[in-house]
């Protein structure tokens, strides 16, 4: 996906990018490739691929969720900043918090945010399990996002405790959404969520399957969740 295709595809969905925003995406790409030589951020480095599989793919969440209506996002396990930072570039008013367990990635994100002059961005070097138990952040975010971090039963335990009541957990997934959903139903309910919608579509150009799961937080999450680091992965809430 070249820059013209990127711009016009987003414009078709009602997202118009200014020259400044396009500049930010260009700088994002340059820094991603530069830092990727020092620390492992992504296996995708070709420009057209990055624009399609990282930038555009991240922003697809905004085709189904209105980010103009919210203020705070937390992105769990964002790695090189996906999906939250491409969304932040498109919707500059957002306050974005990224939680990642690898300090090198946090350093990259801090430098990136500074270079792109992004305001209201916070980067936390922490495990999602311990972050979710912090009283100052628990159940405080309008939207919590995660992109291909773990299967849904595990992700729900890492993300739903951070979502405020009536807020949304938005999971960006490739294929196998139905399977994951069946295995993750118990976790979603236990943690206070309710599936609102699954949006299935194909990524343009390469035509690969994508699914965006939108889960509404309808009840408070029981205090014991998330459990200790590593536990959600070892014994997910399934049944």
């Amino acid at each position: 996906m070249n820059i013209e295709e990127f711009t016009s595809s987003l414009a078709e969905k009602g997202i118009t990018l200014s020259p400044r925003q396009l500049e930010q995406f260009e700088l994002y790409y340059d820094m991603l490739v530069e830092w990727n030589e020092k620390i492992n951020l992504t296996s995708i480095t070709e420009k057209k691929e990055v624009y399609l599989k990282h930038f555009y793919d991240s922003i697809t969440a905004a085709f189904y969720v209105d980010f103009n209506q919210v203020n705070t996002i937390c992105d769990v396990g964002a790695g090189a900043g996906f999906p939250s930072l491409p969304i932040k570039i498109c919707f500059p008013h957002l306050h974005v918090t990224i939680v990642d367990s690898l300090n090198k990635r946090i350093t990259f994100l801090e430098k990136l945010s500074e270079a792109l002059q992004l305001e209201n961005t916070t980067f936390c070097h922490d495990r999602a399990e311990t972050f979710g138990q912090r009283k100052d952040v628990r159940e405080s975010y309008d939207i919590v996002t995660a992109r291909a971090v773990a299967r849904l039963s595990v992700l729900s335990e890492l993300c739903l405790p951070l979502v405020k009541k009536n807020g949304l957990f938005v999971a960006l997934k490739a294929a196998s959404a139905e399977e994951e959903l069946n295995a993750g139903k118990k976790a979603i309910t236990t943690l206070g969520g309710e599936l609102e919608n699954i949006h299935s579509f194909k990524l343009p150009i390469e035509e690969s399957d994508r699914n965006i799961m939108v889960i509404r937080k309808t009840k408070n999450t029981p205090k014991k969740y998330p459990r200790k680091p590593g536990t959600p992965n070892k014994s997910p809430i399934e049944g």
Side-chain angles (χ1 to χ4, degrees):
M1 177 175 265
N2 62 34
I3 292 165
E4 291 71 28
E5 289 166 328
F6 177 69
T7 312
S8 62
S9 299
L10 290 179
E12 278 168 27
K13 298 289 185 179
I15 298 170
T16 310
L17 298 178
S18 67
R20 171 71 186 133
Q21 286 165 312
L22 284 169
E23 214 175 89
Q24 286 174 310
F25 278 112
E26 283 286 83
L27 186 51
Y28 196 155
Y29 170 74
D30 290 341
M31 285 188 72
L32 180 69
V33 172
E34 183 194 331
W35 276 72
N36 201 51
E37 290 175 10
K38 294 179 267 186
I39 60 171
N40 183 24
L41 294 167
T42 177
S43 58
I44 298 166
T45 53
E46 197 192 318
K47 193 168 191 175
K48 286 182 177 181
E49 299 273 288
V50 170
Y51 267 83
L52 176 65
K53 294 180 184 175
H54 283 327
F55 297 164
Y56 183 85
D57 192 30
S58 293
I59 299 162
T60 56
F63 304 165
Y64 307 102
V65 173
D66 189 353
F67 285 94
N68 285 310
Q69 298 301 313
V70 298
N71 289 313
T72 57
I73 299 189
C74 181
D75 193 0
V76 173
F82 308 123
S84 57
L85 291 188
I87 291 170
K88 163 75 176 166
I89 293 172
C90 295
F91 302 92
H93 73 282
L94 292 170
H95 288 238
V96 172
T97 300
I98 289 180
V99 187
D100 199 278
S101 60
L102 197 66
N103 206 26
K104 285 177 185 173
R105 285 197 290 252
I106 292 293
T107 304
F108 163 71
L109 293 169
E110 286 170 344
K111 298 285 184 201
L112 176 70
S113 179
E114 206 177 291
L116 301 186
Q117 297 177 323
L118 299 177
E119 292 175 354
N120 302 313
T121 51
T122 306
F123 305 102
C124 302
H125 174 227
D126 204 350
R127 292 284 299 249
E129 295 96 330
T130 45
F131 190 74
Q133 286 291 359
R134 272 176 47 177
K135 288 189 171 69
D136 59 328
V137 293
R138 187 179 174 85
E139 300 193 308
S140 70
Y141 297 99
D142 296 324
I143 292 179
V144 176
T145 58
R147 179 177 177 248
V149 177
R151 56 197 189 282
L152 193 63
S153 50
V154 178
L155 267 190
S156 298
E157 186 167 349
L158 303 180
C159 297
L160 275 166
L162 293 164
V163 183
K164 64 164 66 161
K165 206 170 161 189
N166 294 320
L168 297 175
F169 163 37
V170 179
L172 289 76
K173 291 278 178 189
S176 76
E178 283 300 323
E179 266 169 64
E180 284 204 30
L181 187 62
N182 289 332
K185 274 179 182 162
K186 187 182 178 188
I188 292 168
T189 312
T190 304
L191 296 154
E194 198 175 281
L195 181 72
E196 197 164 273
N197 226 319
I198 295 189
H199 302 281
S200 301
F201 58 98
K202 289 193 184 297
L203 202 59
I205 301 166
E206 68 165 31
E207 295 291 305
S208 52
D209 291 330
R210 289 292 185 272
N211 297 280
I212 291 177
M213 300 183 188
V214 181
I215 293 158
R216 174 80 58 186
K217 177 88 166 263
T218 54
K219 296 197 277 287
N220 294 100
T221 301
K223 284 192 171 63
K224 70 171 182 175
Y225 299 108
R227 292 165 292 166
K228 284 180 184 156
T231 310
N233 217 13
K234 280 193 210 98
S235 52
I237 307 163
E238 287 179 354

